[in-house]
Amino acid sequence: MTTPPHAAPEDAAPRLLFWYDRNRRDLPWRAKPGEVADPYRVWLSEIMLQQTTVPAAAPYFRAFTERWPTVRDLAAAPLDDVLVAWAGLGYYARARNLHKCAQAVAAERAGCFPDKEAALLDLPGIGAYTAAAITAIAFGRKATVVDGNVERVISRVFAVEDPLPGVKPKLRALAAILTPDERPGDYAQAMMDLGATVCTPRKPKCMLCPWSDWCAARAAGVQEQLPRKAAKADKPTRRGVAFWLLNPDGAVLLRRRAEDGLLGGMTEVPSTPWAGHAPGDAEIAESAPLDLPWRSLPGVVRHTFSHFHLELGVVAARAGDGWRKAEGLWVPVDRLGGQALPSVMMKVVRHALAHA
DNA sequence: AATTCGTGGAG
DNA sequence: TCTCCAAGAAT
């Protein structure tokens, strides 16, 4: 580690904590002043908040904690119940790892989360950020928490010009220098709140910032340019055709996706493979769950994943007496809500119901 | 080290 | 419409 470009004042951390005490946000997972943090709730919230906004995670957090109040309750639940409850939140490996982690903590640690970063890192779904966050917020132990907010704050305060993600180790080292011994949990949350509400990606509210007087980026007038980021690859478009098939009972044919990879373990409307080119008639017939006179519905379902766009045509048919030969599960239309349907598949369902 | 993994809101 | 992006992890 090189010498910081400029020194932080001795009272940097106390000033941030002073700001935090006066701007504390009331979030569903946040212990109120004086309350003892519940490691289960801290862990659950941190998993849900990975790459996810507070408004998106909040209703899921309420639903999970009401249904599964303890880590043992969550561990005892079938994975499929967890996937159904997680449906719509995205990054479904989080849900699978959440369940694995709960089972590990319940079975091997008597339901108690470890309070050290190294042990936390051994658990599924817990990486450097989450291990530090749990250590600091749930157990009140010193740890340097570095998420996207902290990276932005640090890159600005020290006017770090090197682009992400390569500069991450340097930002972490600088963040560690600032981390105080006192109030580790509050400091971690204060850093993230500062980034989320004041030191924002666009139009940072420097007038409200407790660190504005020593922020190197602000002094240079480059706060809106930092942190610099490497250009990201553009997203290709993949195309496919989904099969909306009803049986004589009015149930829809669904399938369970492979346990790993995109939407792993989730439920889907059967479809052709999603390829760079639209499937031809032969490919559609090849993938069809039954050999039927499929009629194509008007329009297309568009969805954007983390790394590609998807355009899905929809074809529909009614299965006759041979409907039992189709591979998959038949679900009554009014019970689709009980399925682990990710958002893209909810779009397909809505499209089919609107046009079929 | 570079990819793969979702989603919905903001601008 | 389109880009960016939000409390990252696993491989």
Side-chain angles (χ1 to χ4, degrees):
Chain A
M1 179 51 207
T2 57
T3 304
H6 71 137
E10 286 304 315
D11 63 341
R15 280 160 59 184
L16 179 61
L17 287 165
F18 185 86
W19 171 87
Y20 178 70
D21 288 336
R22 275 151 191 77
N23 297 278
R24 183 188 294 265
R25 292 190 292 168
D26 194 19
L27 301 174
W29 41 83
R30 185 168 282 178
K32 293 176 169 51
E35 279 185 1
V36 178
D38 177 356
Y40 169 65
R41 293 168 64 90
V42 172
W43 163 73
L44 178 62
S45 68
E46 292 301 341
I47 302 298
M48 287 184 168
L49 287 165
Q50 288 167 5
Q51 298 293 285
T52 304
T53 58
V54 166
Y60 286 83
F61 179 83
R62 298 183 208 281
F64 269 66
T65 51
E66 180 169 345
R67 181 170 180 183
W68 299 298
T70 72
V71 68
R72 290 187 214 254
D73 297 322
L74 184 57
L79 171 61
D80 284 10
D81 286 2
V82 177
L83 292 179
V84 170
W86 196 277
L89 195 54
Y91 283 143
Y92 298 97
R94 291 185 297 173
R96 299 188 302 260
N97 285 329
L98 185 83
H99 191 245
K100 276 187 208 162
C101 183
Q103 294 194 320
V105 170
E108 302 164 19
R109 309 190 55 94
C112 296
F113 282 87
D115 64 352
K116 295 184 177 60
E117 288 184 79
L120 285 161
L121 278 170
D122 286 336
L123 292 168
I126 298 183
Y129 161 76
T130 305
I134 294 173
T135 301
I137 299 170
F139 296 109
R141 300 167 61 93
K142 183 176 180 179
T144 299
V145 173
V146 184
D147 72 331
N149 289 307
V150 176
E151 287 176 349
R152 184 169 57 255
V153 170
I154 295 297
S155 71
R156 286 174 176 170
V157 162
F158 292 107
V160 177
E161 292 282 346
D162 315 76
L164 289 169
V167 76
K168 279 173 179 284
K170 182 176 179 179
L171 295 178
R172 162 172 292 284
L174 290 169
I177 294 173
L178 294 184
T179 304
D181 295 326
E182 311 302 317
R183 300 178 61 187
D186 286 343
Y187 179 81
Q189 294 176 87
M191 283 289 279
M192 294 189 282
D193 272 16
L194 186 68
T197 65
V198 174
C199 196
T200 48
R202 292 177 297 260
K203 306 253 180 133
K205 304 171 181 65
C206 299
M207 303 302 290
L208 302 178
C209 182
W211 285 352
S212 62
D213 62 330
W214 66 282
C215 176
R218 183 173 187 249
V222 297
Q223 64 272 20
E224 299 213 37
Q225 325 300 327
L226 300 180
R228 303 197 187 281
K229 298 189 176 183
K232 46 193 66 172
D234 52 344
K235 298 179 178 180
T237 298
R238 297 184 195 173
R239 296 175 174 84
V241 168
F243 300 97
W244 182 254
L245 181 59
L246 294 177
N247 72 6
D249 299 329
V252 189
L253 180 68
L254 300 177
R255 287 179 182 165
R256 182 191 180 89
R257 291 178 60 88
E259 295 305 309
D260 296 307
L262 184 70
L263 309 178
M266 302 296 285
T267 303
E268 68 174 355
V269 177
S271 75
T272 67
W274 304 344
H277 61 92
D281 291 344
E283 296 172 273
I284 295 174
E286 173 80 15
S287 298
L290 288 177
D291 186 10
L292 290 168
W294 296 94
R295 64 186 181 90
S296 85
L297 304 185
V300 62
V301 174
R302 297 178 195 282
H303 189 78
T304 299
F305 291 102
S306 49
H307 55 297
F308 67 92
H309 303 288
L310 179 65
E311 288 183 12
L312 226 40
V314 182
V315 297
R318 286 192 170 274
D321 292 340
W323 64 273
R324 295 174 187 281
K325 290 185 303 211
E327 192 175 329
L329 56 147
W330 294 95
V331 179
V333 172
D334 58 358
R335 290 190 204 162
L336 289 174
Q339 292 297 313
L341 289 166
S343 291
V344 61
M345 293 302 156
M346 289 303 296
K347 285 186 185 178
V348 172
V349 168
R350 284 199 302 273
H351 191 265
L353 291 176
H355 296 97

